[in-house]
Amino acid sequence: MELKALPKPLKFILFVSRVLLKLHKNQKKALRRTLSNTHGSSFKSQTLISEVDHTNLSQKTLIFDVEETLLRSSSVFPYFMLVAFEAGSLIRAFMLFALYPLLFLVDDELSIKIMVMVSFFGTKKDGFRVGSSVLPKFFLEDVGVEGFDVLRRGKKTVGVSKLPQIMVECFLKDYLEIDYVFGRELKVHGDYFVGLMNDNKNIIEHRINEMLEEDDQAIYFSNKFAKHDWISCSKEVYVVRNGEKKAWQILPKERYPKDLIFHDGRLAFRPEPLRMLVMFMWFPFAILLSIFRTIIALTMPYGALIPILAFTGLQLKLTNNNSNLDVTSDDHKQHKGRLYVCNHRTLLDPLYLSFGLKRPFAAVTYSLSRMSEILSPIKTVRLTRDRDQDAKTMDKMLRLGDLVVCPEGTTCREPYLLRFSPLFAELSDHIVPVALDSYVTMFYGTTAGGLKCLDPFLFMMNPNPVYRVQFLDQIHGVSSQASETKSTRFDIANYVQSEIGKTLDFECTSLTRKDKYLVLAGNEGFVNSTSNKR
């Protein structure tokens, strides 16, 4: 068929198609010329995994795009959602979630600007700790092994991110040991973020050039050609294909350069859009469920509340390895109760211990909100961190009945045990170690920088929270041991810690409450700075 015989509309479509095809070819040629002029013969279009394995990187500076070549997912929405939820509020998080469809209709740069505005506007700069206490956990869980292995081979590593620097710096420097981090800077007015970023044009390129020494051989890693202005800082360019990233494996926790022991925040899941939709739909029902579970725990006898709570989805798994719980000890002859020593997972630890044995206990604690103290169905007594006074208080409570103590002094979410305070070893001849573990899918029931009065309620808001309680063999305290085999209170505390660690497969550490709060809250974890410390 001749072209003249075609209808006019079809002729017009063919003409437009030819013009667009010609423009596309010219654009590709111009791009090739630009790359050639910029990098000369040193430009290499290679994939990160298949080609770099045979390249010696030990004397080279590796400049990498954090989101494109280190993280498995290129979506940054979950990280801004964490900022909106943890540093902002539930309402701010819902606003960001509602804007998610709009983010598809705009380009990548405008999308980030929108998320920055919603997440950061009005947030106080000095009080912002999400970047160091919350985000590292979620970033680490998205690191690809293949990309991480390549970056560890360089002499010097430089991470470049399109996210605000305050979000990525702690994760990259403290946990992955990246030498330099260059991200976006946020504008501040009167110590508050205004939700805007400084103009980034040529700034990062200038900062990278200042960092590079004359003899540095820089290599750039990205998954897109000539995407950034700072590509000119590199003599070689390696490209990561999206297909390769999808096949990457998650970096195992045992390979973290620095162990992730402490982290904060309420969300226990990666806040992808679909998961956030489920959370927002569940939230109203979760509040009612939490109130119902609390009322049952406060009002019903043990024989009735345990099956009712199990019916609502709350699981208690009890293991009793101690065959001597009913044996009369010297302490009982002295009218003393048993001392249950357990690791600390949530504020509900003593309560679940009470549920497990179906009898009430008294519990001593270092920090407890007034609301939790009022609502607690068991007796709770505050400790002062004054050694002599706390010893008298615990001895008095033991003479009134059984007592529960968590010698770690604070909770820890990860599979680690903090240092056990040895005070308990001097107070009783009948010490029962108890190994506790909990599991949640939606909300954490602990916090270092948030409202502690909400801890029990948020734990109860989970659809199927799980608690494991394991009683171990009893041990003797310092006073009852023979002089030739007598152990110190420190030996007993370390022994109890190690036995609980073996039971739970947790790692024992010498870290304390002070270490936790310095990492997560920037303080030592004391309400009153003049309080005595042991």
Side-chain angles (χ1 to χ4, degrees):
M1 182 183 294
E2 295 183 0
L3 186 61
K4 293 181 179 180
L6 294 175
K8 289 184 178 181
L10 186 56
K11 288 182 181 179
F12 178 74
I13 293 174
L14 290 174
F15 173 75
V16 173
S17 300
R18 289 174 181 173
V19 172
L20 292 176
L21 182 61
K22 187 175 182 180
L23 289 174
H24 178 66
K25 289 181 178 179
N26 291 338
Q27 189 176 15
K28 289 179 66 177
K29 290 179 180 178
L31 178 60
R32 291 194 189 100
R33 287 195 298 269
T34 302
L35 292 175
S36 178
N37 293 335
T38 303
H39 308 292
S41 60
S42 63
F43 179 85
K44 296 181 180 180
S45 175
Q46 299 175 335
T47 57
L48 181 63
I49 304 303
S50 60
E51 301 294 337
V52 177
D53 288 344
H54 308 291
T55 305
N56 183 11
L57 304 177
S58 60
Q59 299 301 318
K60 297 183 179 181
T61 298
L62 309 185
I63 305 173
F64 65 96
D65 187 321
V66 175
E67 292 76 33
E68 305 296 347
T69 60
L70 179 64
L71 303 180
R72 297 169 67 247
S73 172
S74 298
S75 173
V76 297
F77 176 83
Y79 308 117
F80 283 105
M81 177 57 73
L82 287 166
V83 174
F85 188 92
E86 305 293 356
S89 63
L90 183 66
I91 296 176
R92 189 190 292 259
F94 184 79
M95 289 175 57
L96 181 60
F97 172 76
L99 290 173
Y100 181 72
L102 175 64
L103 304 179
F104 275 110
L105 304 178
V106 298
D107 59 39
D108 188 56
E109 179 67 14
L110 182 56
S111 173
I112 291 179
K113 289 181 178 179
I114 293 173
M115 290 188 285
V116 167
M117 173 59 72
V118 176
S119 302
F120 282 93
F121 178 76
T123 303
K124 195 171 184 179
K125 180 182 178 181
D126 288 345
F128 185 85
R129 301 197 62 84
V130 174
S132 59
S133 63
V134 179
L135 291 177
K137 172 184 181 293
F138 294 91
F139 277 125
L140 287 168
E141 290 175 350
D142 196 34
V143 173
V145 173
E146 292 79 358
F148 173 78
D149 286 340
V150 172
L151 297 177
R152 297 289 287 180
R153 292 163 52 193
K155 175 184 177 182
K156 191 186 302 181
T157 50
V158 182
V160 182
S161 175
K162 59 186 177 184
L163 300 179
Q165 181 142 344
I166 198 172
M167 291 176 63
V168 298
E169 186 168 24
C170 179
F171 151 64
L172 292 172
K173 281 192 172 183
D174 294 348
Y175 289 94
L176 293 189
E177 299 177 350
I178 302 301
D179 299 307
Y180 298 91
V181 178
F182 300 125
R184 309 290 293 272
E185 296 294 337
L186 296 175
K187 293 184 178 181
V188 179
H189 179 73
D191 199 35
Y192 287 88
F193 294 117
V194 298
L196 300 174
M197 295 183 292
N198 292 324
D199 187 7
N200 211 36
K201 188 175 182 180
N202 298 325
I203 293 179
I204 291 183
E205 180 183 5
H206 177 69
R207 293 171 65 186
I208 292 177
N209 283 325
E210 285 186 336
M211 177 273 304
L212 292 174
E213 299 176 1
E214 292 183 2
D215 58 342
D216 280 347
Q217 300 181 39
I219 298 180
Y220 174 67
F221 295 91
S222 181
N223 76 335
K224 296 179 182 179
F225 293 98
K227 179 184 175 184
H228 304 296
D229 52 2
W230 61 83
I231 196 172
S232 60
C233 303
S234 306
K235 295 181 179 180
E236 299 178 72
V237 177
Y238 289 86
V239 177
V240 181
R241 295 173 182 168
N242 288 327
E244 288 179 319
K245 286 186 64 177
K246 292 179 181 179
W248 282 3
Q249 301 297 315
I250 299 175
L251 182 68
K253 290 185 177 181
E254 56 269 18
R255 293 199 56 194
Y256 290 174
K258 176 184 176 181
D259 291 333
L260 179 71
I261 300 177
F262 303 121
H263 60 86
D264 206 6
R266 293 297 192 180
L267 292 182
F269 61 95
R270 181 179 174 85
E272 301 284 357
L274 184 58
R275 292 184 175 183
M276 288 303 297
L277 174 62
V278 173
M279 191 275 285
F280 283 120
M281 293 175 63
W282 168 254
F283 201 84
F285 300 100
I287 295 176
L288 297 177
L289 180 61
S290 178
I291 294 173
F292 176 74
R293 286 170 170 171
T294 302
I295 293 174
I296 294 300
L298 291 175
T299 59
M300 301 293 288
Y302 291 108
L305 70 85
I306 294 176
I308 294 176
L309 291 178
F311 179 76
T312 66
L314 199 153
Q315 301 180 46
L316 171 61
K317 299 180 179 180
L318 180 66
T319 304
N320 189 356
N321 297 332
N322 192 337
S323 58
N324 300 316
L325 284 182
D326 296 325
V327 176
T328 302
S329 68
D330 293 337
D331 277 352
H332 281 72
K333 296 177 182 179
Q334 299 172 13
H335 307 290
K336 276 190 176 184
R338 292 186 177 89
L339 180 60
Y340 293 91
V341 179
C342 57
N343 60 305
H344 205 3
R345 301 302 280 179
T346 75
L347 287 176
L348 299 176
D349 291 340
L351 193 59
Y352 273 91
L353 194 64
S354 177
F355 290 167
L357 293 180
K358 297 183 180 180
R359 64 173 183 263
F361 297 106
V364 291
T365 179
Y366 288 105
S367 61
L368 188 69
S369 69
R370 186 61 179 168
M371 179 178 292
S372 299
E373 192 173 10
I374 294 173
L375 294 178
S376 176
I378 62 176
K379 183 177 178 59
T380 57
V381 178
R382 291 173 180 264
L383 297 180
T384 63
R385 299 187 185 278
D386 179 271
R387 176 180 172 75
D388 295 333
Q389 184 175 343
D390 290 345
K392 292 178 181 179
T393 300
M394 293 174 65
D395 185 71
K396 179 181 178 181
M397 297 303 299
L398 277 170
R399 294 184 183 279
L400 297 176
D402 294 342
L403 182 66
V404 181
V405 61
C406 301
E408 286 178 290
T410 188
T411 58
C412 183
R413 297 175 179 176
E414 293 298 311
Y416 295 91
L417 295 179
L418 307 187
R419 182 180 67 85
F420 276 33
S421 173
L423 179 60
F424 71 88
E426 305 172 356
L427 300 177
S428 176
D429 179 46
H430 192 182
I431 299 173
V432 181
V434 184
L436 299 175
D437 196 11
S438 62
Y439 176 75
V440 295
T441 56
M442 193 166 288
F443 304 108
Y444 284 118
T446 61
T447 183
L451 296 175
K452 292 185 178 295
C453 61
L454 298 179
D455 287 356
F457 296 102
L458 282 164
F459 182 87
M460 294 290 189
M461 286 172 64
N462 285 281
N464 299 104
V466 179
Y467 238 98
R468 287 195 299 147
V469 180
Q470 296 177 262
F471 294 93
L472 309 183
D473 289 334
Q474 69 178 30
I475 63 171
H476 296 291
V478 174
S479 60
S480 65
Q481 295 184 3
S483 58
E484 62 273 9
T485 60
K486 192 169 185 177
S487 301
T488 66
R489 56 193 177 97
F490 298 102
D491 294 332
I492 295 175
N494 292 336
Y495 175 77
V496 172
Q497 183 196 40
S498 65
E499 289 301 303
I500 293 177
K502 291 176 185 177
T503 302
L504 297 174
D505 196 22
F506 284 9
E507 182 177 339
C508 298
T509 74
S510 59
L511 299 174
T512 64
R513 172 190 174 91
K514 178 180 177 180
D515 297 311
K516 171 186 171 179
Y517 277 86
L518 286 175
V519 171
L520 300 183
N523 57 60
E524 296 185 2
F526 300 105
V527 177
N528 185 353
S529 61
T530 63
S531 298
N532 295 325
K533 306 175 184 66
R534 265 201 310 274

